[in-house]
Amino acid sequence: MSEVSDLDWRPNADLTAIRARAELYAGIRAFFSESGVLEVETPILSRAAVTDPALASLSTQVDIAGFGPRRPLYLQTSPEFAMKRLLAAGIGPIYQICKVFRNEERGRRHHPEFSLLEWYRPGWDYGRLMDEVGALVRLALNRPTMPIERLTYRDLFRDGLGLDPWHTEVDQLRRIAERAGLRGLDGLDLDRDGWLDLLLTRCLESRLGRGRLTFLCDYPPSQAALSRVRTSGEVPVAERFELYIDGIELANGFGELVDAREQRARFQADLALRREQGRPEPPIDESLLDALEHGMPDCAGVALGLDRLLMIATGVEHIDAVLTFAIERA
């Protein structure tokens, strides 16, 4: 009999984790069925791709008659654009459990292929959606009384680092990072949002969601991504939130942008930044922009990482422990 290499063919996850995933998905589907939210499925492949400079898409090609010249098709980093086209068609509240793909991501909490839960609530604001996210996560973790808090991005930086992220310049942010003892800063050339993100992830994130669900909300407008910007307060804020548990970012949600012209401008700004960085410039999703032009209802939407939720539920430290076969064994 030939010698079997060390766990070469075996699953990464044990049977307990595999069963836990099945139970989690069944619970999510029951939750949304009771709430009147429709499960949908959209394509994994698209002619367009996300323009966000922080994300790298994977692509492939197909050879089929009538499809036209050979060109890349992109694997989705999120089902968001296709789901928004459904919203514009009048489908109502929807959710999806699906695989998504992001290149250049591998680590203890990252995998290039991972599972995402995404849902949209027409007629809701992002505050009401936070309430539903909290209810779903409490149910998934079987922690019905787990405390929930909301913390603004501005207050987190004021209380944690003594700075106002709306009014602190790049040079000062660098000095704060140096005083915090962060390593690898020599030669680092970041813009304001880059320094803020570095300070968030290296200095502040680990304290979020300790024994509770922490919703970090109201981000700087420059970090709006696909969210609306609210200008009625002391400072303009992006209607965006992220959910943290035990220092782990679990979900990213928005009061969704529905203005086609503004969305196109943001896509074009993303591509300009990618050009400056020497990164690929994928095609803009014109079908999404047409859907927004047609009229997408005001809504709130959120994407929640199911593998990370399973990590928390099962008490494991590495994402591979909840995957049947990590990419190295795929």
Side-chain angles (χ1 to χ4, degrees), residues 82-281:
M83 292 181 78
K84 286 182 173 178
R85 289 164 64 185
L86 292 177
L87 292 169
I91 197 170
I94 52 175
Y95 80 97
Q96 183 167 183
I97 295 172
C98 61
K99 289 286 191 179
V100 296
F101 305 85
R102 296 181 184 180
N103 204 6
E104 302 172 6
E105 296 195 7
R106 186 67 172 114
R108 188 162 63 91
R109 298 173 185 167
H110 294 86
H111 192 261
E113 174 187 345
F114 61 100
S115 298
L116 198 67
L117 166 64
E118 190 150 333
W119 76 96
Y120 292 87
R121 284 289 202 168
W124 285 25
D125 64 20
Y126 72 129
R128 187 176 178 186
L129 183 59
M130 279 187 258
D131 290 338
E132 185 169 61
V133 174
L136 175 63
V137 172
R138 277 174 160 179
L139 178 68
L141 297 178
N142 194 25
R143 301 181 196 175
T145 61
M146 192 174 189
I148 297 176
E149 69 173 351
R150 296 187 187 181
L151 177 64
T152 70
Y153 187 99
R154 196 179 192 196
D155 284 344
L156 175 67
F157 277 84
R158 281 172 159 175
D159 296 342
L161 293 172
L163 69 89
D164 185 340
W166 267 252
H167 301 296
T168 306
E169 297 304 320
V170 167
D171 289 346
Q172 188 176 353
L173 291 171
R174 174 185 277 278
R175 287 195 296 271
I176 291 169
E178 291 170 347
R179 287 201 300 268
L182 300 187
R183 298 178 180 179
L185 302 184
D186 291 344
L188 196 59
D189 183 19
L190 301 175
D191 60 13
R192 287 186 73 256
D193 285 323
W195 284 109
L196 289 171
D197 188 60
L198 183 72
L199 290 168
L200 173 63
T201 56
R202 303 271 292 275
C203 298
L204 300 171
E205 213 171 56
S206 62
R207 70 182 69 177
L208 299 177
R210 293 298 172 183
R212 65 188 65 241
L213 306 178
T214 298
F215 287 95
L216 185 64
C217 58
D218 294 352
Y219 279 63
S222 54
Q223 299 181 32
L226 297 162
S227 74
R228 289 190 296 257
V229 173
R230 189 175 69 250
T231 58
S232 57
E234 181 184 351
V235 293
V237 298
E239 292 189 350
R240 174 184 176 186
F241 66 84
E242 292 190 344
L243 171 62
Y244 288 86
I245 302 178
D246 296 334
I248 299 174
E249 178 202 336
L250 195 61
N252 190 18
F254 305 119
E256 299 292 345
L257 179 66
V258 297
D259 185 309
R261 183 175 297 178
E262 172 63 19
Q263 188 62 79
R264 181 180 293 278
R266 292 190 193 179
F267 284 160
Q268 290 171 337
D270 284 346
L271 292 178
L273 182 55
R274 294 178 75 98
R275 194 175 308 124
E276 289 178 14
Q277 297 172 343
R279 296 177 66 83
E281 297 175 48

